[in-house]
Amino acid sequence: MATGTGTVSFQTVRETNMRTVLRTVRELAPCSRAAVAATTGLNKTTVSSLVTDLTARGLVRETGETSQRRVGRPGVLLALDDRSVAAIGLEVNVDYLSVVAVDLLHRELVQRHVPLDARSAGALDCAHRIADILREVTEGPELRERSVLGVSVAVPGLIDAPSGTVKRAPNLGWRDVPLRNLLRSRLADSALSGATVLVDNDANLGAMAEYRFGPLAGLPDLVYVTGEVGIGAGVLTGGELLRGAGGFAGEIGHLELAPEGPECSCGRRGCLEAVAGIGAILRAALPDLTADRPLHGREVADLVEVAVDRASAGESTAVAALERAGTWLGRGVATLVNVVNPGAVVLGGYFVPMAPWLLPRCREAARAHSFAEEAGGCQVEPSDLGMSAASRGGAAVMIHGLDAGDLPLPPQLPLPLP
């Protein structure tokens, strides 16, 4: 028993040290083993052994260059191995699936945007479609020779992240959907069998994407607001996601701003989503094309384009609808300012092409309804990550999880044939 405990303890320590070396190489690359040892406090022999293991797992490689040391033999420089490992992020929304795969350096390997009427399809068919796309991506030429760390799936709704269950997603018509288990069963005979599958809120993963890749990358107090049929907010405070006691923080789309307003998908009236969600904007901007009918997922993008074209041409109904929505969004932003005081609020999704009309009114209302002067210094900006923000954030979370110890290290790569 003692031996077993000791073995487990040794392996745990070794894996912890491997992750420390991996993070250090990420921060310092290109760097020598000596530099890694000096930074981490590990002795050189230990670092060399750990680097050998990380190299065998396709995580670290020698660059072929040497350091210019004044004394002793030059050290061979190390870098992250961008050739062997990948991470995948996938977003399912009302009218599309988005997939992004990245390497260890967060460089994009795959990006796909697939129209899909997810609400009409239903949860089970969506799970089948997600699994099919993941198979296609992992079997494609970009990932076929790579080890996939795992998949992070973004969904617009309340997510029980530990179980991977979608508790409630009104705009998809989903309730208590065990999405992670469904995907695991459908991927059991694929290259992703046994891979980590995470499920999270789309706004949370969008916020992580902005924090790592957007123009405001590194800003620790930031909010990402989804611009879809639904409105959600991913809230970062001190560089960490604000999840709340049950993991359901950020549902600003269901702030009740106009009690006598239109009915929301959640069953209440006058929610921010009901007055400033994309569906509400399109019905107000394009009454001749929407006529109080349900908007099917695949037509939303086309209608957004029409609304933007009409606003650009100065058509008064479209301009008024977008500006009115901007004012409502500003009141929602003011609530965020009053509660969490972010340094910036980033508007994503379909809000981006509408930004020329939304932003002026949004900023004005945010200042008017915030308790702090000038909205507490909060910037309101459009995202430049397009419709792939949540999927890109999901892939980034996978890479971060590897560094942080939240994901298992990949196995050693097979030795090449002699």
Side-chain angles (χ1 to χ4, degrees):
M1 180 66 72
T3 301
T5 303
T7 301
V8 171
S9 176
F10 171 80
Q11 185 62 30
T12 299
V13 170
R14 184 171 178 82
E15 289 195 3
T16 299
N17 287 339
M18 273 198 286
R19 295 179 197 277
T20 299
V21 170
L22 184 64
R23 290 194 299 270
T24 304
V25 173
R26 181 182 295 280
E27 293 166 4
L28 301 182
C31 58
S32 65
R33 290 168 175 80
V36 173
T39 301
T40 61
L42 298 169
N43 67 56
K44 294 179 182 179
T45 301
T46 299
V47 168
S48 292
S49 173
L50 296 171
V51 167
T52 298
D53 200 339
L54 289 168
T55 301
R57 296 171 189 267
L59 299 175
V60 170
R61 64 180 177 88
E62 293 183 342
T63 67
E65 301 174 346
T66 57
S67 61
Q68 301 300 314
R69 295 170 60 183
R70 295 183 179 179
V71 180
R73 189 171 62 185
V76 178
L77 297 182
L78 304 171
L80 294 181
D81 191 339
D82 57 353
R83 304 164 300 181
S84 304
V85 173
I88 299 175
L90 182 145
E91 177 187 6
V92 52
N93 220 300
V94 174
D95 57 332
Y96 65 85
L97 295 178
S98 171
V99 185
V100 171
V102 302
D103 64 19
L104 276 185
L105 297 175
H106 294 288
R107 293 187 301 208
E108 186 177 286
L109 301 170
V110 176
Q111 180 177 353
R112 294 185 61 182
H113 189 86
V114 182
L116 175 70
D117 188 346
R119 184 180 181 93
S120 297
L124 292 178
D125 282 351
C126 273
H128 279 292
R129 186 67 178 124
I130 291 169
D132 288 344
I133 288 177
L134 290 173
R135 286 174 185 271
E136 293 170 14
V137 169
T138 54
E139 293 170 3
E142 300 89 352
L143 301 188
R144 188 180 300 132
E145 304 300 325
R146 291 176 180 262
S147 171
V148 177
L149 296 174
V151 180
S152 186
V153 181
V155 180
L158 300 181
I159 311 298
D160 179 42
S163 69
T165 299
V166 181
K167 301 298 291 183
R168 188 181 185 195
N171 292 307
L172 294 176
W174 296 6
R175 185 182 285 272
D176 295 324
V177 176
L179 185 59
R180 181 166 66 189
N181 289 342
L182 289 173
L183 292 177
R184 280 177 170 171
S185 67
R186 284 160 176 75
L187 295 170
D189 60 348
S190 75
L192 290 170
S193 175
T196 299
V197 177
L198 302 178
V199 181
D200 205 342
N201 173 266
D202 62 336
N204 285 344
L205 295 178
M208 294 305 300
E210 294 293 339
Y211 181 58
R212 295 187 178 278
F213 308 117
L216 300 173
L219 185 66
D221 297 284
L222 175 149
V223 177
Y224 175 80
V225 177
T226 61
E228 311 292 344
V229 174
I231 299 178
V235 182
L236 287 170
T237 59
E240 299 292 332
L241 280 170
L242 177 66
R243 293 187 177 276
F248 304 148
E251 290 295 331
I252 66 164
H254 300 289
L255 290 172
E256 189 177 324
L257 300 182
E260 304 304 318
E263 185 175 359
C264 181
S265 63
C266 70
R268 300 177 180 85
R269 303 195 74 86
C271 295
L272 177 60
E273 188 174 296
V275 294
I278 294 302
I281 294 174
L282 293 175
R283 289 188 181 90
L286 307 172
D288 56 318
L289 299 180
T290 56
D292 289 328
R293 63 179 176 80
L295 300 181
H296 296 289
R298 296 183 181 183
E299 68 179 331
V300 172
D302 292 337
L303 291 172
V304 167
E305 187 174 343
V306 173
V308 169
D309 287 345
R310 289 189 184 182
S312 297
E315 202 276 320
S316 59
T317 300
V319 170
L322 269 60
E323 290 182 343
R324 187 163 56 249
T327 298
W328 285 118
L329 282 172
R331 293 187 64 175
V333 169
T335 300
L336 290 168
V337 169
N338 291 339
V339 175
V340 296
N341 187 208
V345 172
V346 181
L347 303 182
Y350 292 121
F351 287 151
V352 175
M354 297 178 172
W357 302 274
L358 296 176
L359 280 179
R361 297 297 180 93
C362 179
R363 290 165 176 158
E364 179 183 342
R367 291 192 296 268
H369 293 277
S370 299
F371 181 70
E373 291 186 3
E374 295 299 314
C378 177
Q379 306 175 60
V380 184
E381 304 291 345
S383 173
D384 69 353
L385 298 181
M387 304 303 287
S388 66
S391 50
R392 185 177 295 275
V397 164
M398 282 289 164
I399 299 295
H400 176 72
L402 176 68
D403 290 356
D406 299 328
L407 294 183
L409 291 165
Q412 293 190 1
L413 300 174
L415 293 174
L417 295 174

